[in-house]
Amino acid sequence: MHKPLSPSSIHPPFAPYSPGIEVSSRSRFVFVSGQLGIDKDGVIPPDAAGQARVAFDNILAILTEAGMSFRDVVKLNAYVTGREHLRGYMDVRNALFEEPYPASTLMIVSGFTRPEFVVEIEAIAASPG
């Protein structure tokens, strides 16, 4: 369905993600808005790993509603509020995804709508149409 692209002419990824993903043209796409680490009851874990788990749970719920799973994710964009949150986010992400890994971008940002949030994750998924 989708094919990882990892040319030998570029530096290999620093973590388990694909530099690029090719998606066939007869696919359905789901674009998941940025998900914060807040659960249905308004609980926000105090650490990056906990917030990443909740955000990925929210992403999975959205994908499931569309009949998709993490295997269909072709692109992740993630944002953390400091370098100290990178490892927590990456550990959770790395435990959830298998090859072919999605393309992935991780950025450090100055903050979100509320100061207790330290992670936000958005996703693009594609499955046969």
Side-chain angles (χ1 to χ4, degrees), residues 102-117:
S104 184
T105 299
L106 175 55
M107 292 181 271
I108 298 172
V109 297
S110 63
F112 301 112
T113 55
R114 290 172 37 188
E116 59 266 43
F117 293 122

Side-chain angles (χ1 to χ4, degrees), residues 1 4 8 15 24 27 29-31 56 58 60 63 66 70 72-74 76-77 79 81 87 91 98 100 118 123:
M1 202 294 302
S8 61
S24 68
S27 295
F29 289 93
V30 171
F31 296 86
F56 276 119
N58 294 343
L60 184 58
L63 294 174
F70 285 139
D72 299 304
V73 173
V74 296
L76 290 170
N77 290 327
Y79 312 90
T81 58
R87 179 58 42 210
D91 287 348
E98 302 173 351
V118 298

Side-chain angles (χ1 to χ4, degrees), residues 34-94:
Q35 297 298 303
L36 295 163
I38 184 170
D39 72 12
K40 181 180 178 182
D41 298 321
V43 175
I44 303 168
D47 63 312
Q51 288 188 27
R53 277 190 289 280
V54 172
F56 276 119
D57 286 347
N58 294 343
I59 290 168
L60 184 58
I62 293 164
L63 294 174
T64 300
E65 189 166 309
M68 294 185 182
S69 71
F70 285 139
R71 298 239 7 118
D72 299 304
V73 173
V74 296
K75 178 71 167 102
L76 290 170
N77 290 327
Y79 312 90
V80 297
T81 58
R83 279 182 171 55
E84 68 274 18
H85 304 304
L86 293 172
R87 179 58 42 210
Y89 161 75
M90 290 189 310
D91 287 348
V92 173
R93 178 200 63 193
N94 294 349

